[in-house]
Amino acid sequence: MLWLAFLISLSGILIISRKNLSLGLVSGSLILGLMTLSPARLLDRIIFTITDPSIILLTLAMGIIPMIGGTLKESGQIDNLVENLRISRKYLLATSAALMGLLPMPGGALLSAPILEKAGQDIPGELNAVINNWFRHIFILIYPLAPALIVAAEICDLDVYRAILYILPGAVFAYILGHLFFLRHINGRLTYTGQFSLKALSVPLLIILSAPVLDFILKKALGMGSLATLIGVVTGFTLSIALSRKKLDLKDLTRRMKPWNFALIILGMFLYLHIFQASDTSTVIAELPLPPLMLAIIAGFLLGLLTGRVQLPASIVLPIYLGAQSQITPFIFALIYIAIYFGYIISPVHPCLVVTCEYFHVSIREMIKRMVLPTAIIIAAVIILALLFG
């Protein structure tokens, strides 16, 4: 019954989200809850989600982030950035996404999306979307300050930098696959109309990076959580208005950017996550009749896919593996972590994937369809390595 509930809920998300992403997420959440929880427990999870202060703050922040991109486009700052960030177009697209990935924050994919939209005007929206999602996460995979990686390494009593050495080949392989599947088809070069201007490059970079940098500093120094994210994006939005050389019609901009769509997406994703955690699904997945390493890899991938998270699946499958084997090598850790991570990257409830789809007006189904083959190649490689050397 639990497996059936999952399949139906995910199908609901994929089908309904073709019309409205936030409605698809809420509908999938309710389907899962009605099939796996009592009415009282489901109501409790709904109330918990919509009254959680951290979720409310993050929802507000998510509504402001697309406004930053809108003001940057309207003021011409995105034009200045693309005009002066003088690298090959295909690598500009990947670098823009990766730059935001190195300073991870909720909704950070929305900060690189306007750059890709400008530099890839003649590129199909679904290709821009998948580049934004794929290359953003390759660098976070080996980012030593990524909370999920730190927690996962701590569970296994491994040094995070040693773990990264073993994850690194997987990140390189993912970059190569991303180039072959997504960048290889991009031709042409950007045409520059003037001389390079450091000032014209610095101003939009200052605006774009102010939010994730401030978010990172306030979280690390003061432990402010979602409030740090809200402060960061409000600062970035304020700078984007103050540094604009033209008067902005914020009312018209709000109408066009539809920030409420992005805010509601966050509520839908957290509602799904909380209902998933309240059900017994993770237990059912963890009881699959497989050897410990295969169980950790397959269950980890499935949990990453179903939850749109890395830390939660890692906190479930790594202790299960350690309980069976008592210790874990960095090589085995890397295989399990990569499997979890790429389930997360293509998850229909992964925040970056969903908001990127909303920005480029692409269906979740189309986005996942483009990433299925490279992801399948990576997971197949992980399984083969586990069979040969695990």
Side-chain angles (χ1 to χ4, degrees), residues 212-275:
V213 169
L214 196 55
D215 173 68
F216 179 81
I217 291 172
L218 292 177
K219 281 179 177 174
K220 292 296 180 181
L222 302 177
M224 293 179 67
S226 296
L227 180 59
T229 304
L230 182 59
I231 292 172
V233 299
V234 168
T235 301
F237 185 43
T238 303
L239 285 174
S240 69
I241 296 171
L243 297 176
S244 173
R245 292 185 175 182
K246 60 182 290 189
K247 186 177 180 180
L248 300 170
D249 185 344
L250 295 181
K251 183 178 179 180
D252 179 66
L253 188 63
T254 302
R255 179 184 57 80
R256 288 188 283 112
M257 297 308 298
K258 298 180 174 61
W260 51 86
N261 283 349
F262 298 92
L264 291 173
I265 283 169
I266 290 297
L267 286 177
M269 287 187 299
F270 274 103
L271 180 61
Y272 183 90
L273 178 64
H274 291 153
I275 290 174

Side-chain angles (χ1 to χ4, degrees), residues 132-364:
N132 194 44
N133 189 63
W134 187 267
F135 287 95
R136 167 179 171 76
H137 293 94
I138 287 177
F139 289 93
I140 304 178
L141 179 61
I142 52 173
Y143 184 52
L145 297 179
L149 179 56
I150 293 172
V151 169
E154 183 67 25
I155 290 172
C156 299
D157 196 26
L158 291 175
D159 176 73
V160 69
Y161 291 96
R162 189 175 182 213
I164 286 172
L165 289 176
Y166 287 84
I167 297 171
L168 182 59
V172 172
F173 185 47
Y175 181 89
I176 293 170
L177 288 175
H179 188 281
L180 290 174
F181 280 90
F182 311 130
L183 296 181
R184 182 169 58 90
H185 304 290
I186 297 174
N187 300 310
R189 301 183 62 86
L190 293 173
T191 301
Y192 302 108
T193 58
Q195 296 294 318
F196 170 79
S197 170
L198 181 60
K199 181 180 179 181
L201 174 64
S202 301
V203 171
L205 279 179
L206 170 65
I207 295 169
I208 290 171
L209 296 179
S210 62
V213 169
L214 196 55
D215 173 68
F216 179 81
I217 291 172
L218 292 177
K219 281 179 177 174
K220 292 296 180 181
L222 302 177
M224 293 179 67
S226 296
L227 180 59
T229 304
L230 182 59
I231 292 172
V233 299
V234 168
T235 301
F237 185 43
T238 303
L239 285 174
S240 69
I241 296 171
L243 297 176
S244 173
R245 292 185 175 182
K246 60 182 290 189
K247 186 177 180 180
L248 300 170
D249 185 344
L250 295 181
K251 183 178 179 180
D252 179 66
L253 188 63
T254 302
R255 179 184 57 80
R256 288 188 283 112
M257 297 308 298
K258 298 180 174 61
W260 51 86
N261 283 349
F262 298 92
L264 291 173
I265 283 169
I266 290 297
L267 286 177
M269 287 187 299
F270 274 103
L271 180 61
Y272 183 90
L273 178 64
H274 291 153
I275 290 174
F276 175 88
Q277 290 174 319
S279 71
D280 293 327
T281 308
S282 60
T283 303
V284 173
I285 293 174
E287 290 175 350
L288 288 170
L290 295 168
L293 180 53
M294 284 297 106
L295 172 62
I297 289 172
I298 294 173
F301 175 79
L302 289 174
L303 286 168
L305 177 69
L306 293 170
T307 65
R309 293 291 185 274
V310 177
Q311 195 164 315
L312 174 63
S315 66
I316 294 171
V317 301
L318 289 172
I320 291 173
Y321 180 84
L322 287 169
Q325 300 297 109
S326 75
Q327 64 178 358
I328 188 170
T329 65
F331 174 71
I332 296 300
F333 172 84
L335 294 180
I336 297 171
Y337 189 81
I338 289 170
I340 294 171
Y341 198 84
F342 280 90
Y344 152 78
I345 283 181
I346 66 167
S347 169
V349 288
H350 173 193
C352 293
L353 184 149
V354 177
V355 297
T356 297
C357 286
E358 178 70 18
Y359 186 91
F360 288 104
H361 307 292
V362 174
S363 71
I364 294 178

